[in-house]
Amino acid sequence: MASAAKSTTTTTITSPISVTAESLHSILSHQSLINHFQSSLPAVSASLQSPIRQSYDVSPSSSLLLMPSWSSSPSLPYLGVKLVTYFPGNSTINLPGVHASYVLFSSATGQTLATVDGTTLTLYRTSCVSGLASRILSRNDSEILVMIGAGAMAPHLIRAHLAARPSLKRVIIWNRNAEKAEILAEKMRECAEFDGVCFESNGCLDEAVGMGDIVSCATNSEAALVKGEKLKAGAHLDLVGSFKHSMKECDDEALRRGRVFVDNEAALEEAGELVGAFERGVMEKADVCGMLVELINGEKVGRTSCEEITVFKSVGSAVVDILAAQLVYETYIQQQN
């Protein structure tokens, strides 16, 4: 999408568009967003301002987060903010634990351009960050994906990893509630685009982890689920769930055995697995091997052997939010023309 087209779009659209969750599914694909991140992140990173997100505890277990970002580049003439609520107890009433709205503005005029269902946008952007990291860090011949967690994020992570690694032939799902794991496996089996991929649930976590070429975690756990000793040689561990010091999805051994990468610097301050490991002297911040944009640029070396274990920890950022919103907005406008 040319810069001129972007500028024209920004100045001619005066009525804000509203993009619902349903509309997002027809605008975005995991493949297109992974590709957009890979091509855009290195180019725009330097021009984006993204303050550390503000997080407020609104109850002992619930949070409100504000995630702003803006660009000084003519090729990305936007500013935006995501408002997020985190209510983990919602799982007991069959509602997502995360709800969000994203508002996109013109950085030239300040006009509101779009409001986007931020909950679904977050599911896409988070899973596609993991997918992009997997494209770079997981083995090219990866065949088995283990999905730990069966919440709203899980099907998106499965789709993103399948888009990033077409070699995957088997997906094993584990969840504390075994019935939820089987329900998700059945839903994925019904997707025609995954013909040839086997979806199954497994009630034994340690057994499932030991089979994974890629192990992806999206849970609210405050106790380590993945034991590093169970990871097989050459595995790639993808950690999505934690964003507070009290949360963690893997033990220290997983970090000891693996080369650790993060999506951005905030992970070093927010991710419970990493902060805890730093405090216990298991590793230092300097031991983190690089950030996602450095991997894309080739500034940092990713996987160095087929036996090596890689670990990718993401906490999210307003940078990928605004890039995802950009793709949604510009694709929507193109579809209307």
Side-chain angles (χ1 to χ4, degrees):
M1 300 170 188
S3 299
K6 294 173 184 173
S7 298
T8 301
T9 297
T10 302
T11 56
T12 57
I13 301 297
T14 55
S15 299
I17 63 172
S18 178
V19 183
T20 64
E22 193 63 33
S23 298
L24 270 176
H25 297 313
S26 64
I27 294 171
L28 283 182
S29 72
H30 295 84
Q31 186 74 261
S32 67
L33 190 53
I34 289 171
N35 292 341
H36 182 60
F37 285 159
Q38 187 164 12
S39 62
S40 299
L41 263 174
V44 303
S45 292
S47 70
L48 279 168
Q49 297 295 318
S50 180
I52 292 177
R53 64 184 170 197
Q54 301 170 58
S55 179
Y56 303 97
D57 292 331
V58 296
S59 80
S61 63
S62 307
S63 307
L64 169 68
L65 296 89
L66 309 178
M67 303 174 68
S69 185
W70 59 91
S71 166
S72 59
S73 170
S75 66
L76 188 68
Y78 306 112
L79 59 92
V81 62
K82 187 167 73 174
L83 309 173
V84 184
T85 58
Y86 174 67
F87 282 65
N90 281 359
S91 60
T92 62
I93 54 174
N94 204 31
L95 284 175
V98 176
H99 292 272
S101 293
Y102 194 90
V103 187
L104 187 71
F105 304 89
S106 162
S107 60
T109 66
Q111 289 174 292
T112 305
L113 300 175
T115 58
V116 182
D117 183 286
T119 306
T120 305
L121 187 73
T122 299
L123 295 173
Y124 271 98
R125 72 84 152 134
T126 302
S127 61
C128 289
V129 166
S130 285
L132 178 52
S134 181
R135 178 184 282 179
I136 298 169
L137 294 172
S138 67
R139 285 170 49 155
N140 293 336
D141 60 353
S142 297
E143 293 188 354
I144 300 176
L145 167 66
V146 174
M147 183 69 239
I148 298 176
M153 182 65 71
H156 282 269
L157 281 165
I158 291 170
R159 289 174 179 274
H161 283 294
L162 288 173
R165 277 283 170 251
S167 58
L168 289 168
K169 303 299 180 190
R170 184 180 176 195
V171 178
I172 303 169
I173 303 167
W174 178 90
N175 192 66
R176 289 188 192 279
N177 183 324
E179 184 182 2
K180 285 187 176 180
E182 181 51 37
I183 289 171
L184 177 56
E186 183 56 38
K187 285 183 178 177
M188 299 306 296
R189 289 184 203 115
E190 294 170 359
C191 298
E193 68 264 38
F194 300 133
D195 185 39
V197 179
C198 172
F199 296 93
E200 62 192 85
S201 61
N202 189 315
C204 180
L205 177 58
D206 287 349
E207 179 183 51
V209 168
M211 291 189 282
D213 296 308
I214 300 171
V215 179
S216 185
C217 303
T219 73
N220 298 323
S221 184
E222 297 195 348
L225 296 172
V226 175
K227 298 173 184 173
E229 66 178 9
K230 301 297 182 182
L231 291 167
K232 72 180 185 182
H236 172 63
L237 177 59
D238 172 43
L239 303 169
V240 174
S242 78
F243 61 88
K244 295 196 292 189
H245 292 186
S246 61
M247 305 169 75
K248 63 178 180 179
E249 295 182 303
C250 75
D251 64 8
D252 290 343
E253 184 63 17
L255 302 179
R256 278 195 200 96
R257 291 189 67 198
R259 292 181 66 235
V260 179
F261 299 84
V262 297
D263 60 338
N264 62 77
E265 289 183 349
L268 307 182
E269 309 296 333
E270 297 178 1
E273 300 92 345
L274 297 180
V275 172
F278 298 152
E279 291 174 348
R280 290 185 291 274
V282 173
M283 62 184 297
E284 299 178 357
K285 289 183 180 180
D287 294 325
V288 173
C289 297
M291 294 183 292
L292 182 58
V293 69
E294 295 173 321
L295 286 169
I296 299 170
N297 278 334
E299 296 173 42
K300 300 291 185 179
V301 176
R303 174 171 293 277
T304 59
S305 77
C306 62
E307 297 296 305
E308 182 176 77
I309 291 172
T310 53
V311 179
F312 179 72
K313 174 58 201 164
S314 65
V315 294
S317 76
V319 170
V320 285
D321 282 331
I322 199 170
L323 286 175
Q326 173 203 12
L327 183 61
V328 169
Y329 177 68
E330 293 177 4
T331 302
Y332 180 97
I333 297 302
Q334 283 189 348
Q335 290 177 350
Q336 303 310 303
N337 294 336

